[in-house]
Amino acid sequence: MLSSPHLLGIKNITKEDIQLIFNTAEQFKEVINRPIKKVPSLRDTTVANLFFENSTRTRISFELAEKRLSADVVNFSAASSSVKKGETLLDTVNNILSMKVDIVVMRHPAPGAHHFLSQHIDASIINAGDGTHEHPTQALLDAFSIREKLGTLQDVKVVICGDIKHSRVALSNIFCLQKMGAKVKVCGPPTLIPKHLPELGVGVEYDIKKALEWCDVANILRIQLERQDIKYIPSLREYGLYFGVDKSLLDSLDKEIVIMHPGPINRGVEITSDVADSKQSIILDQVENGVAIRMAVLYLLAEKRNQNA
Ligand code: CP
């Protein structure tokens, strides 16, 4: 049983919680590869997907996971809602909950929005990304994909490259990988690496070649221009020249590393197509594993909710 009734972030869950999610996801991965992909586990459970920010992978992945578990699903997108007419977050969510919703999956631009909601409403909350803070299901599917590829996370060396400062994926990955025994470094321009990172036990490398020579796995992130109020790099072209991962850089290493990317990819900036689509890349495995991981999280939170009822 999970230790918490919500999944607000990776920072506050235990290694045992992560292990339980992985074990459950392994079983659901087998289910979704069968001809009949649906199980009745969440029958009579209603899930609301509330997206106050854009999403492709996370939103579709959660909706598929919910439908594979036979949940009743309602979708809300801020762009076409009464939020545009001035309604508060709490009013919006309370109105949706009056329709008897059990689990809320939410993406919101404000760090801590999920924590705030969890203190005011009765549903279980899953964080599908809160601003630059956390993206826990992305970190779980990333760590699960590494473990699937390499057989273990213990002592695996992972470098996270790119815009660390604005990345919720980076922070959740750091917490998740460290809890599971991996070693983590970050690499990027000094302006995009927060000064406090060494306090989290994370190594910092500013030279992409040295970072790739050190690691077993490189998780490559995009530059989040939409979150940058000032210029942190001279141009995307220069970023690509100094920090972009291309085939010649990979071929110059004396080993074969695993390539990951959470998406969306900006091809030709942080990663070239011949790397993203290479046999070293597990980017589409990450997407496939996302459904199994989200099924596991939904199933385990529903189980916890039923126990507390
Ligand atoms: N990885 C990820 O969060 O992608 P989306 O923004 O498309 O959901």
Side-chain angles (χ1 to χ4, degrees), residues 55-58 107 135 138 262-263:
S55 170
T56 299
R57 278 147 293 270
T58 311
R107 172 168 287 190
H135 191 349
Q138 181 69 46

